[in-house]
Amino acid sequence: MALQPRNISDAGLRRLAAYHKVLQEMLLAGTPTVSATGIARVLALEPSQVRKDIEATGIAGKPKVGYPLAVLIRWIEDFLGWNNTKQAVLAGAGSLGSALLGYQKFRQLGMDIVAVFDNDPLKVGRTIHGKQVFFPDKLPSFALGAHIHLGVIATPASAAQATADLMVAGGIRALWNFAPAHLRVPDFVVVRNEDLYDSLASLTYKLEKRMAAERKAAAEVCAPVESAVVLLDACTW
Amino acid sequence: MALQPRNISDAGLRRLAAYHKVLQEMLLAGTPTVSATGIARVLALEPSQVRKDIEATGIAGKPKVGYPLAVLIRWIEDFLGWNNTKQAVLAGAGSLGSALLGYQKFRQLGMDIVAVFDNDPLKVGRTIHGKQVFFPDKLPSFALGAHIHLGVIATPASAAQATADLMVAGGIRALWNFAPAHLRVPDFVVVRNEDLYDSLASLTYKLEKRMAAERKAAAEVCAPVESAVVLLDACTW
DNA sequence: ACGGAATCGAGAAGACTTTCTCGATAAGGA
DNA sequence: TCCTTATCGAGAAAGTCTTCTCGATTCCGT
Ligand SMILES: NC(=O)c1ccc[n+]([C@@H]2O[C@H](COP(=O)([O-])OP(=O)(O)OC[C@H]3O[C@@H](n4cnc5c(N)ncnc54)[C@H](O)[C@@H]3O)[C@@H](O)[C@H]2O)c1
Ligand SMILES: NC(=O)c1ccc[n+]([C@@H]2O[C@H](COP(=O)([O-])OP(=O)(O)OC[C@H]3O[C@@H](n4cnc5c(N)ncnc54)[C@H](O)[C@@H]3O)[C@@H](O)[C@H]2O)c1
């Protein structure tokens, strides 16, 4: 009765992270087991989708009960690589970079930023959130020597490609890019763009569509002359 | 020969934002027109996908030439709502919130943060990046009065739901949530989660898989006893 | 011990996205 | 002017992701 291994989509990986958060809250509440149905209810998803995502981790559940909570959390963490902490380097110690540096929770998510690189002479040599700042030209040898494979880019967009090149030269295999720039890297490097432009795009598009729909609906209710009197009190202006 | 309106996926919206960045660089370079093929080459995408995405904006191109660059940029901005600037409120003036406040480019993307709300008495009344900080309980009336429909949440996760509730009460219709929490909001509110947990999930998963594959490949090359001598110089340790 | 209810696991069906294909069209050179 | 080439636009095909469905399993109350 072994579970068959499944491919998981990017969306599925993100959902697993969401389940992880929900599960930890449930753990605090003392629940011993959890069902896919239960998770789905909290996150407003389809139970079968939650089950499929969880299947990807390889854990087996029991009918009628679900999954043992603590074990499921552990399997998700193992599956996502969060129990195998990876050291990381950060480039760009500006306002965003500093915020990332000060963010304690990354450790729990398998990432530990161990060094910072910035080309501002005023910042080099100083310490930010306990991490020393170096010149970017030291990055490749440092990363190679420390066997670091994860890099975070928080430089201006104009410096992002050069920074990525340095990181790749330093043996970095995964890039977390916060600059609004498209990076060209070799095939063996994974890139995740955390581009706020892209995110805002869908938000502003949907907001605009929604507001337009509301204006239209309001117009339909209030505009027709023949029903104006009847519907007047439905309009608040 | 009118273009037929198409539905666009979330991924498509993000790609449009990426095209927009590429196009602006081309504009600086002085190019007068651009083809879907050209954009696709830069971003390593399929030309037909770029064409489909651009079709969604409703602009018409010319065979053999493509699209007029400046016009295309304008159409994408209009389509995404970036030319119709929306005022926004921010909750949580911590390290992330301050970084967002200081980020000038949001204005170009249709968003203008006009007020900040934080429950830390030390921050209330002060000014951060030119924006005054208020107590959160002032949020609903302020948002209603100013007809603000966009809200940014940068509070701790524990305060995110309460903050979202305040925003919804204030007439906010779109939430940009940076806290790692699942928000429950009415159907008419759009939520975009900018959850770094979720993002890290796919990055750590892929990095781990890649490194595992590399270790396996290395082992295959170096482990077999019969070929050890021949392949010794292929191994660097 | 038995029957009902809840859940899992997995395959099938359906919905959505991406890629392919091809006719039409416009530019540029022979 | 005519031919070649690049590109668009749209429908078809292929692929991927999500939702549905159902038999099997387990728990719980009677
Ligand atoms: N601040 C935000 O809220 C925010 C939001 C979205 C995106 N971003 C993006 O994140 C990036 C950083 O933003 P920020 O607000 O922190 O900017 P910032 O100007 O505060 O910081 C940029 C830092 O990068 C350093 N730097 C410049 N060139 C460098 C190089 N070649 N190598 C290493 N370091 C270099 C600078 O010295 C500076 O310290 C930008 O690309 C920005 O577009 C920021
Ligand atoms: N710093 C980062 O790099 C980073 C990265 C990813 C996610 N986040 C998330 O972003 C959020 C903010 O992170 P941060 O690093 O800025 O934290 P922070 O502690 O620096 O700032 C939080 C701010 O929110 C304020 N606050 C608390 N309760 C509030 C309430 N009910 N209403 C309004 N304001 C309230 C606090 O006074 C504080 O100023 C957190 O949810 C965090 O998980 C931060």
Side-chain angles (χ1 to χ4, degrees):
Chain A
M1 220 238 322
L3 297 185
Q4 69 181 37
R6 308 196 136 275
N7 274 9
I8 188 156
S9 60
D10 224 69
L13 290 170
R14 304 186 132 252
R15 283 193 299 268
L16 277 177
Y19 305 160
H20 184 264
K21 277 189 302 242
V22 170
L23 294 174
Q24 282 195 315
E25 278 171 25
M26 290 178 170
L27 193 67
L28 289 179
T31 331
T33 63
V34 66
S35 69
T37 320
I39 298 175
R41 198 165 30 234
V42 175
L43 295 175
L45 296 172
E46 290 299 317
S48 47
Q49 175 156 82
V50 176
R51 226 173 274 129
K52 282 253 192 293
D53 292 336
I54 289 177
E55 266 180 56
T57 68
I59 198 176
K62 269 194 200 174
K64 178 84 185 202
V65 253
Y67 309 87
L69 186 47
V71 179
L72 178 54
I73 290 176
R74 177 81 199 189
W75 277 65
I76 291 178
E77 288 173 354
D78 284 346
F79 184 76
L80 295 177
W82 288 358
N83 285 321
N84 179 12
T85 301
K86 289 164 261 299
Q87 295 191 318
V89 291
L90 168 72
S95 51
L96 183 61
S98 300
L100 293 173
L101 265 181
Y103 197 55
Q104 303 302 324
K105 297 193 181 164
F106 286 143
R107 294 280 278 280
Q108 297 159 31
L109 309 179
M111 182 174 89
D112 184 16
I113 298 175
V114 295
V116 191
F117 298 85
D118 198 299
N119 71 348
D120 182 346
L122 292 175
K123 288 178 177 156
V124 172
R126 294 178 56 186
T127 295
I128 300 179
H129 288 290
K131 307 291 156 55
Q132 216 183 329
V133 182
F134 302 94
F135 270 117
D137 59 9
K138 299 274 189 303
L139 198 159
S141 57
F142 178 88
L144 281 174
H147 300 289
I148 292 176
H149 303 293
L150 183 52
V152 184
I153 298 180
T155 67
S158 55
Q161 183 61 57
T163 302
D165 294 343
L166 280 179
M167 288 187 172
V168 172
I172 299 288
R173 293 304 163 81
L175 290 176
W176 202 7
N177 176 38
F178 287 84
H182 176 77
L183 303 178
R184 294 156 190 260
V185 296
D187 281 345
F188 55 84
V189 177
V190 184
V191 178
R192 160 119 220 139
N193 287 300
E194 210 61 44
D195 194 328
L196 296 192
Y197 285 46
D198 299 1
S199 304
L200 249 190
S202 77
L203 197 61
T204 53
Y205 170 80
K206 285 174 189 165
L207 175 58
E208 187 119 313
K209 249 178 80 165
R210 177 128 319 175
M211 297 306 292
E214 277 187 21
R215 273 193 300 275
K216 188 151 160 274
E220 268 169 22
V221 171
C222 303
V225 180
E226 61 272 25
S227 57
V229 180
V230 180
L231 291 166
L232 248 187
D233 54 348
C235 301
T236 48
W237 67 92
Chain B
M1 220 235 328
L3 295 186
Q4 67 180 40
R6 310 197 134 275
N7 273 10
I8 189 157
S9 60
D10 224 69
L13 290 170
R14 305 186 131 252
R15 283 193 299 269
L16 278 178
Y19 305 160
H20 184 264
K21 279 188 301 240
V22 170
L23 294 174
Q24 282 195 313
E25 279 170 24
M26 290 177 171
L27 193 66
L28 289 179
T31 330
T33 63
V34 65
S35 69
T37 322
I39 298 175
R41 200 165 29 236
V42 175
L43 294 175
L45 296 171
E46 290 298 319
S48 46
Q49 176 156 81
V50 176
R51 227 174 275 129
K52 280 255 192 294
D53 291 337
I54 289 178
E55 265 180 57
T57 68
I59 197 176
K62 270 194 198 174
K64 178 84 180 196
V65 258
Y67 309 86
L69 187 46
V71 178
L72 178 55
I73 290 176
R74 176 81 200 190
W75 277 66
I76 291 177
E77 288 173 352
D78 283 344
F79 184 76
L80 294 178
W82 288 358
N83 284 323
N84 178 10
T85 301
K86 288 164 261 299
Q87 294 192 318
V89 291
L90 168 72
S95 51
L96 183 61
S98 300
L100 293 172
L101 265 182
Y103 197 52
Q104 301 302 324
K105 297 192 181 165
F106 285 143
R107 295 279 278 277
Q108 296 158 32
L109 309 178
M111 182 175 87
D112 184 16
I113 298 175
V114 295
V116 192
F117 298 85
D118 198 298
N119 71 348
D120 182 346
L122 292 176
K123 288 178 177 157
V124 173
R126 295 179 55 187
T127 295
I128 300 179
H129 288 288
K131 307 291 155 57
Q132 215 183 329
V133 182
F134 302 93
F135 271 116
D137 59 10
K138 298 276 188 304
L139 199 158
S141 56
F142 178 88
L144 281 174
H147 298 290
I148 292 176
H149 302 294
L150 183 53
V152 184
I153 298 179
T155 66
S158 55
Q161 182 62 57
T163 303
D165 294 343
L166 281 180
M167 288 187 171
V168 171
I172 298 289
R173 293 303 162 84
L175 290 176
W176 202 8
N177 175 37
F178 286 84
H182 175 76
L183 302 178
R184 294 156 190 259
V185 295
D187 282 345
F188 55 83
V189 177
V190 184
V191 178
R192 160 116 221 141
N193 288 299
E194 210 62 43
D195 193 328
L196 295 192
Y197 286 44
D198 299 1
S199 304
L200 249 190
S202 79
L203 196 62
T204 54
Y205 171 80
K206 286 174 188 165
L207 175 59
E208 187 120 312
K209 249 178 82 165
R210 178 129 318 176
M211 297 306 291
E214 278 187 21
R215 274 194 299 275
K216 188 150 160 277
E220 269 168 21
V221 172
C222 302
V225 179
E226 62 272 23
S227 57
V229 181
V230 180
L231 291 166
L232 247 187
D233 54 349
C235 303
T236 48
W237 66 92

PDB file of all heavy atoms in Angstrom, chain A residues 72 102 164 204 236:
ATOM      1  N   LEU A  72       3.010  14.756  10.127  1.00  0.00           N
ATOM      2  CA  LEU A  72       2.746  15.441   8.861  1.00  0.00           C
ATOM      3  C   LEU A  72       3.584  16.705   8.746  1.00  0.00           C
ATOM      4  O   LEU A  72       4.182  16.988   7.697  1.00  0.00           O
ATOM      5  CB  LEU A  72       1.255  15.775   8.758  1.00  0.00           C
ATOM      6  CG  LEU A  72       0.827  16.536   7.499  1.00  0.00           C
ATOM      7  CD1 LEU A  72       1.275  15.807   6.238  1.00  0.00           C
ATOM      8  CD2 LEU A  72      -0.673  16.763   7.488  1.00  0.00           C
ATOM      9  N   GLY A 102      17.196  41.021   9.253  1.00  0.00           N
ATOM     10  CA  GLY A 102      16.670  41.030  10.603  1.00  0.00           C
ATOM     11  C   GLY A 102      15.539  40.049  10.821  1.00  0.00           C
ATOM     12  O   GLY A 102      15.019  39.920  11.919  1.00  0.00           O
ATOM     13  N   ALA A 164      24.163  38.453  -9.813  1.00  0.00           N
ATOM     14  CA  ALA A 164      23.838  37.054 -10.111  1.00  0.00           C
ATOM     15  C   ALA A 164      25.050  36.344 -10.702  1.00  0.00           C
ATOM     16  O   ALA A 164      25.356  35.202 -10.334  1.00  0.00           O
ATOM     17  CB  ALA A 164      22.651  36.986 -11.067  1.00  0.00           C
ATOM     18  N   THR A 204      -3.541  45.144  -8.910  1.00  0.00           N
ATOM     19  CA  THR A 204      -4.130  46.365  -9.468  1.00  0.00           C
ATOM     20  C   THR A 204      -5.119  46.028 -10.579  1.00  0.00           C
ATOM     21  O   THR A 204      -6.169  46.660 -10.710  1.00  0.00           O
ATOM     22  CB  THR A 204      -3.049  47.313 -10.023  1.00  0.00           C
ATOM     23  OG1 THR A 204      -2.225  46.598 -10.941  1.00  0.00           O
ATOM     24  CG2 THR A 204      -2.193  47.872  -8.912  1.00  0.00           C
ATOM     25  N   THR A 236     -26.558  55.538  -1.968  1.00  0.00           N
ATOM     26  CA  THR A 236     -26.152  56.266  -0.765  1.00  0.00           C
ATOM     27  C   THR A 236     -25.609  57.646  -1.063  1.00  0.00           C
ATOM     28  O   THR A 236     -25.156  58.331  -0.162  1.00  0.00           O
ATOM     29  CB  THR A 236     -25.091  55.461  -0.006  1.00  0.00           C
ATOM     30  OG1 THR A 236     -24.102  55.052  -0.932  1.00  0.00           O
ATOM     31  CG2 THR A 236     -25.708  54.267   0.675  1.00  0.00           C
TER      32      THR A 236
END
